[in-house]
Amino acid sequence: MSAQPSRRSWRRPLVVAAVAAALAVPSAAVATDTSSTVTDWSDRTAVQVLDDTYYQDAVGKTGPELKAALHTIIRKQSTLSYSQVWDALRSTDEDPNNPANVILLYTGRSQSKTANGGDADDWNREHVWAKSHGDFGTVTGPGTDIHHLRPTDVSVNSTRGNKDFDNGGQQLSEAPGNYTDSDSFEPRDAVKGDVARMILYMAVRYDGDDGFADLEPNDQVNNGSAPAIGRLSVLKQWSLQDPPDAFEEHRNQVIYDQYQHNRNPFIDHPEWVDAIW
């Protein structure tokens, strides 16, 4: 199995293709008014088009108003069963250099899509927002939301467990660049921002109004079974340190186009992290 570079080789989609994806919202997704016509896309970026359509009720807001607006937008989604997550991750996390493989989150290893299961060197489904933090398990909803579910090495997933995120600890021999101690886990540099944005997506998407716990980040570790994950100040630092790359942007688009039909707004607008927190 080949090692994967820290910066991945997905090319940013052509503007025309991204614009088409932004407007072609499936019936299960947000019902967005796209009646206005723009005849020249040459000076329009994909995010600007999303701001005019998908994010139109959030643009210009800050703080609690922005968080509430984004919650209303992204809660309108299609859902998956836990068994359907396997096939979804084979698509969302496909290795751009080898379509037979997926990229594992913490190790960066490129591994066969079919090498999944429970053995030590298999890959399995990691809940980046640990499912015990809010006790949502693997039920349809937060337990199957692929915006925060990623393929990971089984034993590395076990080492992370349900620990909060923070800097420091001992480096993992099986996954160099990742560190852990008794109450926290630090992912490798290339995915620190990915982890932060997944956590903050969950905090906006699951706000306590749909039968699940109100998930919130805080600035501590040892959160246990509380519906909270820390450390917020570190997650904000990681989001700045590791801005969205083409792999993460592509993943967001695949989830939107093919599966849940909602987006992680902090990938499209990383500046919204500071605007809310």
Side-chain angles (χ1 to χ4, degrees), residues 141-180:
T144 65
D145 193 317
I146 54 177
H147 276 296
H148 85 118
L149 278 156
R150 299 291 293 267
T152 57
D153 177 272
V154 166
S155 53
V156 176
N157 187 346
S158 178
T159 298
R160 187 265 157 142
N162 69 347
K163 295 173 183 174
D164 294 87
F165 292 103
D166 198 0
N167 291 315
Q170 297 295 314
Q171 183 167 226
L172 275 66
S173 59
E174 187 176 4
N178 298 266
Y179 298 83
T180 193

Side-chain angles (χ1 to χ4, degrees), residues 4 6 8 11-12 15 42 48 62 67 77 89 108 126 138 149 185 206 209 230 235 243 252 254 262 265-266:
Q4 177 66 10
S6 63
R8 292 143 299 191
R11 294 180 61 197
R12 184 182 294 271
V15 170
S42 61
Q48 284 175 324
T62 60
K67 186 176 183 234
Q77 68 180 89
L89 295 185
E126 155 78 326
T138 60
L149 278 156
F185 189 88
Y206 298 98
D209 61 357
L235 293 171
N252 196 28
V254 171
N262 71 340
F266 304 111

Side-chain angles (χ1 to χ4, degrees), residues 5-229:
S6 63
R7 282 291 159 192
R8 292 143 299 191
S9 59
W10 278 113
R11 294 180 61 197
R12 184 182 294 271
L14 294 174
V15 170
V16 172
V19 166
L23 297 179
V25 182
S27 58
V30 179
T32 303
D33 179 9
T34 58
S35 57
S36 59
T37 300
V38 177
T39 57
D40 181 9
W41 298 108
S42 61
D43 61 349
R44 307 280 293 159
T45 68
V47 172
Q48 284 175 324
V49 173
L50 286 168
D51 286 352
D52 290 344
T53 55
Y54 188 70
Y55 292 124
Q56 60 182 331
D57 293 333
V59 172
K61 294 181 170 68
T62 60
E65 288 188 351
L66 175 58
K67 186 176 183 234
L70 290 175
H71 171 70
T72 299
I73 292 167
I74 67 177
R75 73 186 297 268
K76 299 172 185 176
Q77 68 180 89
S78 298
T79 56
L80 305 175
S81 69
Y82 197 46
S83 63
Q84 289 174 319
V85 167
W86 288 119
D87 283 338
L89 295 185
R90 291 184 177 101
S91 176
T92 59
D93 291 76
E94 180 179 290
D95 182 349
N97 297 316
N98 184 350
N101 287 8
V102 292
I103 300 296
L104 307 191
L105 177 65
Y106 298 132
T107 62
R109 188 169 75 234
S110 179
Q111 182 155 324
S112 171
K113 290 179 177 180
T114 62
N116 63 291
D119 292 336
D121 291 323
D122 286 344
W123 66 268
N124 63 3
R125 298 159 292 184
E126 155 78 326
H127 291 79
V128 177
W129 184 293
K131 55 185 181 289
S132 63
H133 290 236
D135 195 29
F136 52 74
T138 60
V139 297
T140 297
T144 65
D145 193 317
I146 54 177
H147 276 296
H148 85 118
L149 278 156
R150 299 291 293 267
T152 57
D153 177 272
V154 166
S155 53
V156 176
N157 187 346
S158 178
T159 298
R160 187 265 157 142
N162 69 347
K163 295 173 183 174
D164 294 87
F165 292 103
D166 198 0
N167 291 315
Q170 297 295 314
Q171 183 167 226
L172 275 66
S173 59
E174 187 176 4
N178 298 266
Y179 298 83
T180 193
D181 56 23
S182 62
D183 56 21
S184 69
F185 189 88
E186 177 186 349
R188 60 193 177 100
D189 288 348
V191 297
K192 279 182 164 67
D194 307 49
V195 166
R197 288 179 286 275
M198 285 186 278
I199 292 296
L200 299 177
Y201 161 86
M202 292 293 285
V204 172
R205 168 59 188 88
Y206 298 98
D207 212 16
D209 61 357
D210 50 9
F212 299 108
D214 181 3
L215 306 183
E216 287 294 336
N218 61 19
D219 209 34
Q220 64 188 53
V221 294
N222 274 328
N223 279 295
S225 61
I229 280 185

